[in-house]
C-alpha cells in the first residue's frame, strides 16, 4: 500500500487525483490532505478517505474543520497555516506527494516534499517557473523523484528514454514540440479579445480546470509557463522548444530525435491519464479515462501560435531566455493580473500589457537562494500592483 499526500486536494487536480486513488483501494491510501480555505469540501474528503492529517491555510477555516471532525469522531488530526501545509508535504507515511496548489503559494510545500525525498507529482508549474534550478537541486540532493503532471510534460516524459533524470536532456533529442489547444479565444479578433469576460475566459473548449489556469490558457500564458517548465524539467534551451497550436488536444506533446523520428503521446483530454501515469509509474494503472476514438475525432490539426493576439507567450519566451529572476517576476505579475481580470478590474488584453511593463522595469539577477526567488516574486507583485493602479487612475 502506497501512502499519498495531496497539496491542493479541493481543486480540480486534487479531485481528479482522488478519483484515480478511489479506483485502487488496495494500492494507494490517502494519508494527508491540504487546501486553502474550503473546509466543507475537505471535510467530505476526510469522511471518505480518513487521512491521518488534514491542513487548511486559513486558520479560521481550519478551526471549523477541526470542530466538524471532532463532532464526527473522525481519526484525522487538523492543522492550520503554513506549518500545517508543510506537515502534509513531508508526512512520513506518504511516499508520493501530489503538488497541486495553484500559484507561487505552492512553492514552499513543493520544496519541502522534494527535500523529504518524496516522489513529487508536479502539477504546480508556478513553483518550477519561479524556483526551477533550486527545486531541481533539492530533488538531486534528496533523491526525490519528479514526475510531471502537466499533460504536455507528462507526455514528453513518456516520450523520452527511461529513466528520465530531472533537468537533463538525453542525447539524441533534437527538439520538444509543445502542443497548445489555443484556448477559447483561438479564433477571436484583437478587437473582440479586448472585451472578453472572465466567464468566457474560464470556459475552456477541451479541458475542465481551475479558474487561474483557465485564464492562463486563454491568454496562452499557460503555454509560456509550460515552455519555461519544459526547459527546466528536460534541460533544453528555449530555442529547442517549439509551440504548436493543436485545437483537438489529443496529441499532448512530442519529442523529436536527431534521426528525424518524432514520438508523441496521445489520449483524451482528461487529467486522470497523467495523474494515473505518475501514481503508477513505472507500472500502468487504470485511470477511468475512456479509450481514444480517433475515427470519431477524424482530424488532428496543427498551426503556429499568433504572438500578436497572444503576446503573453512571447513575454514568457523572453523571460525563459533571460533566465535568473525573470521567470519569477513574469509569474508574479501574471498572478496579479489574472486575479485583477477575474475581479473585472482589468481588460483581457491589458493583462499582457501590465506584465510587459513590469518585465521591462525589472533588472534580472541570478537566482542563488530561496530568499532571492521570494524577493523577485514580491517585487513582481508590487510592480504589477503599481502598474494596475496607474491604469485604473487613467481610466477613472
Ligand atoms: P484549482 O484552483 O482548481 O485548485 C487549487 C488548489 O490549491 C485548491 O485545493 C486550493 O484550495 C489550493 N490552494 C490555493 N491557494 C492555496 C494556498 N495559499 N495554500 C494552500 N492551498 C491553496 O486549480 P487546479 O486547476 O487544480 O490547478 C492546480 C495546479 O495544477 C496549478 O498550478 C495548475 O497550473 C496546475 N495544472 C492544472 C491542470 C488542470 O487541468 N486543472 C493541468 C495542468 C496543470
Ligand atoms: Mg498543460
Amino acid at each position: 500500500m502506497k501512502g499519498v499526500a495531496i497539496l491542493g486536494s479541493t481543486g480540480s487536480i486534487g479531485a481528479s487525483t482522488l478519483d484515480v486513488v478511489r479506483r485502487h483501494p488496495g494500492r494507494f491510501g490517502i494519508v494527508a490532505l491540504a487546501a486553502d480555505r474550503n473546509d466543507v469540501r475537505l471535510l467530505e474528503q476526510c469522511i471518505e478517505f480518513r487521512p491521518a492529517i488534514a491542513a487548511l491555510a486559513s486558520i479560521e477555516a481550519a478551526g471549523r474543520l477541526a470542530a466538524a471532525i471532532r463532532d464526527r469522531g473522525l481519526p484525522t488530526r487538523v492543522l492550520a497555516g503554513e506549518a500545517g501545509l508543510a506537515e502534509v508535504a513531508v508526512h512520513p507515511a506518504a511516499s508520493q506527494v501530489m503538488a497541486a496548489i495553484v500559484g507561487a503559494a505552492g512553492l514552499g510545500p513543493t520544496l519541502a516534499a522534494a527535500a523529504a525525498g518524496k516522489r513529487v507529482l508536479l502539477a504546480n508549474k508556478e513553483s518550477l517557473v519561479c524556483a526551477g534550478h533550486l527545486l531541481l537541486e533539492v530533488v538531486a540532493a534528496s533523491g526525490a523523484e519528479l514526475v510531471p503532471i502537466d499533460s504536455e510534460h507528462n507526455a514528453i516524459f513518456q516520450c523520452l528514454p527511461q529513466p528520465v533524470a530531472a533537468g537533463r536532456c538525453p542525447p539524441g533529442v533534437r527538439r520538444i514540440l509543445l502542443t497548445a489547444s489555443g484556448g477559447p479565444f483561438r479564433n477571436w479578433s484583437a478587437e473582440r479579445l479586448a472585451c472578453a469576460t472572465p466567464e468566457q475566459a474560464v470556459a475552456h473548449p477541451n479541458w475542465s480546470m481551475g479558474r487561474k489556469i483557465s485564464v492562463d490558457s486563454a491568454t496562452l500564458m499557460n503555454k509560456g509557463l509550460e515552455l519555461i517548465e519544459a526547459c527546466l524539467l528536460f534541460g533544453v534551451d528555449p530555442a529547442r522548444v517549439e509551440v504548436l497550436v493543436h485545437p483537438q488536444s489529443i496529441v499532448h506533446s512530442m519529442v523529436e530525435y536527431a534521426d528525424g523520428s518524432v514520438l508523441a503521446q496521445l489520449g483524451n483530454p482528461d487529467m486522470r491519464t497523467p495523474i494515473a501515469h505518475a501514481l503508477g509509474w513505472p507500472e500502468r494503472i487504470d485511470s477511468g479515462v475512456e479509450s481514444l476514438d480517433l475515427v470519431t475525432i477524424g482530424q488532428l490539426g496543427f498551426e503556429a501560435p499568433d504572438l500578436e493576439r497572444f503576446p503573453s507567450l512571447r513575454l514568457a519566451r523572453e523571460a525563459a531566455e533571460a533566465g535568473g529572476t525573470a521567470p519569477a517576476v513574469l509569474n508574479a505579475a501574471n498572478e496579479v493580473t489574472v486575479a485583477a481580470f477575474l475581479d473585472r478590474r482589468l481588460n483581457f488584453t491589458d493583462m499582457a500589457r501590465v506584465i510587459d511593463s513590469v518585465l521591462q522595469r525589472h533588472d534580472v539577477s541570478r537566482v542563488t537562494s530561496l530568499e532571492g526567488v521570494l524577493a523577485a516574486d514580491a517585487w513582481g507583485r508590487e510592480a504589477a500592483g503599481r502598474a494596475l493602479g496607474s491604469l485604473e487612475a487613467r481610466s477613472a
Side-chain angles (χ1 to χ4, degrees):
M1 187 88 150
K2 287 196 178 123
V4 176
I6 305 179
L7 297 160
S9 67
T10 59
S12 165
I13 292 287
S16 295
T17 306
L18 289 170
D19 188 84
V20 174
V21 165
R22 194 181 281 124
R23 290 163 198 278
H24 302 277
R27 186 171 189 130
F28 303 113
I30 295 293
V31 298
L33 296 173
D36 188 17
R37 55 188 62 246
N38 191 341
D39 54 298
V40 174
R41 178 79 55 83
L42 193 53
L43 176 64
E44 288 164 12
Q45 295 177 345
C46 288
I47 292 170
E48 180 179 356
F49 292 96
R50 304 176 81 84
I53 61 173
L56 284 167
S58 153
I59 312 278
E60 265 191 345
R64 289 194 297 271
L65 179 67
I69 294 255
R70 228 181 3 254
D71 288 349
R72 284 172 176 75
L74 292 170
T76 304
R77 193 159 56 90
V78 176
L79 306 163
E82 269 179 38
L85 300 183
E87 267 201 58
V88 168
V90 304
H91 194 283
S95 57
Q96 311 205 12
V97 178
M98 169 57 78
I101 290 175
V102 59
L107 177 57
T110 303
L111 274 171
K118 307 292 187 188
R119 172 182 291 188
V120 180
L121 314 188
L122 187 71
N124 176 221
K125 67 190 89 189
E126 296 92 343
S127 62
L128 195 65
V129 167
C130 293
H133 292 293
L134 289 180
L135 182 57
L136 292 176
E137 277 167 26
V138 170
V139 166
S142 70
E145 289 173 320
L146 206 53
V147 186
I149 293 297
D150 220 338
S151 57
E152 297 76 4
H153 307 76
N154 184 270
I156 295 160
F157 184 96
Q158 294 194 47
C159 294
L160 287 172
Q162 303 292 322
V164 179
R168 283 205 221 116
C169 183
V173 170
R174 193 192 275 165
R175 283 190 313 158
I176 284 174
L177 307 176
L178 193 66
T179 53
S181 68
F185 304 146
R186 184 170 60 92
N187 293 321
W188 284 35
S189 68
E191 297 71 45
R192 207 172 155 211
L193 278 177
C195 309
T197 66
E199 290 72 25
Q200 291 166 326
V202 301
H204 197 280
N206 305 341
W207 297 94
S208 144
M209 309 183 287
R211 282 159 65 80
K212 191 261 177 183
I213 184 176
S214 296
V215 175
D216 286 346
S217 298
T219 57
L220 290 201
M221 179 57 89
N222 182 50
K223 213 47 54 179
L225 298 176
E226 290 184 358
L227 166 73
I228 300 171
E229 187 185 6
C231 293
L232 290 159
L233 279 176
F234 306 116
V236 293
D237 292 336
R240 286 168 70 193
V241 183
E242 183 181 349
V243 174
L244 283 174
V245 173
H246 164 49
Q248 296 82 8
S249 297
I250 297 298
V251 176
H252 297 307
S253 277
M254 300 174 255
V255 176
E256 181 186 306
Y257 287 89
D259 60 7
S261 296
V262 177
L263 300 194
Q265 187 262 0
L266 284 73
N268 286 318
D270 187 323
M271 289 307 292
R272 291 177 301 173
T273 292
I275 291 168
H277 167 266
L279 280 170
W281 182 78
E283 287 171 38
R284 296 281 180 173
I285 62 169
D286 177 36
S287 65
V289 176
E290 278 178 33
S291 288
L292 182 62
D293 181 354
L294 282 172
V295 171
T296 301
I297 293 160
Q299 292 205 335
L300 300 178
F302 299 93
E303 58 197 57
D306 180 346
L307 300 184
E308 295 291 319
R309 282 181 305 134
F310 301 103
S312 294
L313 179 56
R314 175 178 54 78
L315 296 175
R317 191 178 277 283
E318 287 168 6
E321 282 158 1
T325 47
V329 168
L330 170 95
N331 179 69
N334 183 55
E335 288 191 26
V336 170
T337 57
V338 170
F341 170 70
L342 286 170
D343 276 357
R344 296 174 209 281
R345 288 187 288 121
L346 192 64
N347 281 347
F348 185 82
T349 40
D350 281 339
M351 284 190 275
R353 289 200 187 102
V354 168
I355 298 165
D356 194 4
S357 76
V358 169
L359 283 170
Q360 286 196 22
R361 268 179 286 138
H362 181 59
D363 291 321
V364 177
S365 59
R366 282 186 56 217
V367 170
T368 51
S369 67
L370 182 58
E371 290 68 39
V373 172
L374 297 176
D377 175 79
W379 186 90
R381 279 170 207 277
E382 221 214 283
R386 263 185 281 124
L388 262 173
S390 56
L391 258 184
E392 280 170 340
R394 245 180 287 153
S395 60

